[in-house]
Amino acid sequence: MSSAPVYNFAYLDEQTKRMIRRAILKAIAVPGYQVPFASREMPMPYGWGTGGVQLTASILGAGDVLKVIDQGADDTTNAVSIRKFFEKTAGVETTSLTGDATIIQTRHRIPEEPLTADQILVYQVPIPEPLRFLEPRETETRQMHALQDYGLMHVKLYEDISRHGHIATTYAYPVKVEARYVMDPSPIPKFDNPKMDMCSALQLFGAGREQRIYALPPYTQVTSLDFEDHPFERTKFEKPCGLCGATGVYLDEIVTDDQGGRLFVCSDTDYCEGRRGHETDGGVL
Amino acid sequence: MKPPAISPAFHDVSRQSQAVFRAIMQAMAQPGRTGLLDTGFETPAPLAPGAAAILLTLADFETPLWLDATLSASPATTDYLRFHTGASLVSDPQSAAFALIADAERAPPLTAFSQGTPDYPDRSTTLVFQVGSLDGQDWRLAGPGIKGETVFGVSPLPAGFMQQLQENNACAPLGVDVLFASQTRIAAIPRSTRIMEAR
């Protein structure tokens, strides 16, 4: 492998890391506010977690243990390739065990196992602006955040109720941070929203294409938007996980045959395997 | 005449600045909690290694740097910071991304520095105070990053600094973020932290 290119530790050059690190500190100081940053071209396409990868690369140290999940799973293409990327460019130890990881990069889920104060959760974010689909102009949304003008978001949720009888948003469900900024929690299921509130771990959000970083320090108040007569409700599942029998966890539907057979199993593969005593190696089928 | 040599800084920039950054990030994410700042290099007086490590980790050609009178009067210090960070030194505190204060007791008011704008509250100055001790118990802190309340205190500081921090917090999301560095330790009070007198 002597002909392989030699990268700086964790791929990014030091000036890029400094720029991202400065943005991270501002994001922590103003929880929920989206800090612009000069996102770099990464050796993977947009949509594959370039924002999350740049955050991880900027905070990662030689002693860290990295876990990467994609929709809760450690063994999907996106998770495997990002894990391999950091094994190669930073030489860090990687794991699939939530409890062993110091940094967890995630796409669209929060692990079922409660996080600790020693851990950092890095989210990959496609569209960081919660108001973007209501108001396409950045100049306007920026002013709306400055003035706390969030009426439009409540109108959107109200229209959900008038059309469907309940708030039909099930993922990327908007939250309010410390009674100030409305924030997009990234496309996690709304089932995971309550886990963000007063979480012990530092949570960092990175959107590469949209060039934004935002953050939730530990023990930060995160409230899902709702109405007094239509309070926020967490998704409930009628049956337990078909593999480990867990209840109160987020389940994925898996089609098992062409006869209409289906199975509901934990979306968090590490949690499910842990409950089954790690007797299986990876995949559920 | 041979000019005086500038003393070296990080010997392994990537790994050492990462370790310092994690200490800064943890301090900012957990206000009032002190962390270790392992520097391993010497700096020309009156610049202290802890504060220097913070600037070496965060400052570069993109971030104008403001120094207090004590530091800017020392050519060894200004040469050292110019050489190692590449940051331009500015005399107007409003235009600074970072401000370094060695003589904490005679620090200018927090409002002298850039507070950011309502559209871009991130465009504010981050202040670094070189201090003696982070072990005080004068203040109670609460807010994001703090489970319940925590007790914290810094010395030396100018008189009425707690009121300044309270006013800074009252203006959030506008306002400055403050880092405190002793010889080997670091703590922070970002604008989001509420400060009260200890009971």
Side-chain angles (χ1 to χ4, degrees):
Chain A
M1 288 293 282
S2 59
S3 60
V6 178
Y7 295 107
N8 190 29
F9 178 81
Y11 186 77
L12 293 177
D13 61 276
E14 290 304 308
Q15 201 276 327
T16 299
K17 287 186 195 169
R18 274 194 299 272
M19 175 271 297
I20 293 173
R21 287 167 178 171
R22 291 193 293 260
I24 292 173
L25 295 182
K26 296 288 187 188
I28 291 172
V30 191
Y33 166 73
Q34 304 160 49
V35 183
F37 82 109
S39 178
R40 301 295 197 244
E41 288 272 348
M42 297 301 285
M44 60 189 74
Y46 288 131
W48 281 65
T50 52
V53 166
Q54 289 179 78
L55 280 176
T56 301
S58 302
I59 63 175
L60 194 66
D64 277 312
V65 181
L66 179 68
K67 172 182 162 86
V68 185
I69 52 172
D70 172 3
Q71 306 265 18
D74 292 273
D75 52 6
T76 52
T77 314
N78 196 201
V80 171
S81 60
I82 291 173
R83 206 159 50 228
K84 288 244 163 76
F85 176 76
F86 284 113
E87 280 170 6
K88 194 167 184 173
T89 60
V92 293
E93 197 186 323
T94 56
T95 183
S96 64
L97 301 176
T98 302
D100 287 356
T102 56
I103 298 174
I104 303 173
Q105 183 173 329
T106 174
R107 175 178 174 274
H108 307 185
R109 269 317 305 279
I110 299 175
E112 303 291 358
E113 190 178 322
L115 301 176
T116 67
D118 304 322
Q119 295 178 309
I120 301 168
L121 188 58
V122 175
Y123 295 76
Q124 302 171 197
V125 183
I127 311 280
E129 177 52 74
L131 305 168
R132 184 60 70 232
F133 290 110
L134 306 170
E135 170 51 67
R137 286 167 296 178
E138 168 71 11
T139 47
E140 292 300 309
T141 53
R142 194 157 277 285
Q143 198 161 52
M144 288 159 79
H145 283 295
L147 301 173
Q148 287 195 70
D149 178 7
Y150 295 128
L152 210 52
M153 184 57 94
H154 282 101
V155 170
K156 189 232 171 212
L157 296 176
Y158 170 76
E159 284 179 346
D160 258 17
I161 294 170
S162 64
R163 209 170 287 156
H164 307 285
H166 61 278
I167 297 175
T169 307
T170 54
Y171 67 97
Y173 190 105
V175 295
K176 199 161 200 182
V177 180
E178 288 284 323
R180 178 59 183 84
Y181 283 100
V182 165
M183 186 190 97
D184 184 330
S186 87
I188 58 171
K190 73 171 180 178
F191 175 87
D192 282 342
N193 272 21
K195 294 182 194 168
M196 307 179 104
D197 183 37
M198 292 293 164
C199 177
S200 309
L202 169 64
Q203 303 173 74
L204 301 175
F205 299 77
R209 179 185 48 211
E210 302 290 322
Q211 313 200 323
R212 295 290 184 276
I213 287 170
Y214 52 106
L216 296 171
Y219 312 113
T220 296
Q221 200 187 87
V222 181
T223 321
S224 300
L225 296 183
D226 60 2
F227 298 99
E228 275 174 23
D229 51 346
H230 284 274
F232 173 80
E233 272 182 36
R234 202 174 189 182
T235 315
K236 290 190 186 75
F237 295 90
E238 284 160 17
K239 287 183 183 165
C241 168
L243 293 174
C244 74
T247 53
V249 296
Y250 193 75
L251 303 180
D252 281 338
E253 181 182 2
I254 295 189
V255 175
T256 52
D257 53 34
D258 58 0
Q259 313 292 313
R262 58 188 54 184
L263 186 66
F264 284 89
V265 299
C266 289
S267 135
D268 185 336
T269 53
D270 169 58
Y271 184 79
C272 197
E273 283 163 23
R275 284 178 52 88
R276 287 180 285 139
H278 288 279
E279 85 276 12
T280 56
D281 186 30
V284 292
L285 293 176
Chain B
M1 199 181 90
K2 198 178 151 209
I6 293 171
S7 60
F10 293 133
H11 58 83
D12 183 348
V13 175
S14 184
R15 281 166 180 77
Q16 286 183 298
S17 63
Q18 187 275 337
V20 172
F21 171 70
R22 281 288 277 273
I24 302 170
M25 184 172 79
Q26 290 303 340
M28 200 67 116
Q30 299 171 307
R33 185 158 155 187
T34 56
L36 276 180
L37 209 51
D38 191 10
T39 53
F41 56 81
E42 307 214 328
T43 48
L47 180 65
I54 294 173
L55 286 177
L56 262 46
T57 300
L58 297 175
D60 57 31
F61 65 91
E62 290 185 328
T63 58
L65 172 62
W66 183 91
L67 302 177
D68 74 351
T70 310
L71 289 163
S72 52
S74 152
T77 295
T78 53
D79 286 352
Y80 183 90
L81 289 172
R82 271 207 189 94
F83 178 78
H84 285 299
T85 68
S88 60
L89 301 182
V90 293
S91 54
D92 173 18
Q94 284 285 340
S95 61
F98 291 99
L100 181 55
I101 293 143
D103 187 1
E105 279 172 289
R106 268 171 287 280
L110 298 181
T111 47
F113 298 93
S114 173
Q115 310 286 304
T117 64
D119 286 9
Y120 292 94
D122 55 305
R123 293 180 184 172
S124 59
T125 309
T126 300
L127 280 74
V128 182
F129 280 80
Q130 285 185 191
V131 294
S133 154
L134 301 173
D135 296 321
Q137 307 199 323
D138 317 328
W139 305 330
R140 283 181 296 135
L141 309 183
I146 301 165
K147 191 178 187 179
E149 273 182 13
T150 186
V151 177
F152 180 61
V154 181
S155 65
L157 281 177
F161 196 72
M162 188 184 83
Q163 284 72 27
Q164 285 195 49
L165 286 173
Q166 285 172 332
E167 282 158 27
N168 187 54
N169 170 247
C171 292
L174 298 188
V176 298
D177 308 311
V178 185
L179 292 163
F180 301 102
S182 71
Q183 284 295 326
T184 53
R185 296 197 301 153
I186 179 171
I189 297 189
R191 66 193 86 173
S192 59
T193 302
R194 298 187 292 278
I195 301 107
M196 296 143 285
E197 212 140 354
R199 286 195 192 92

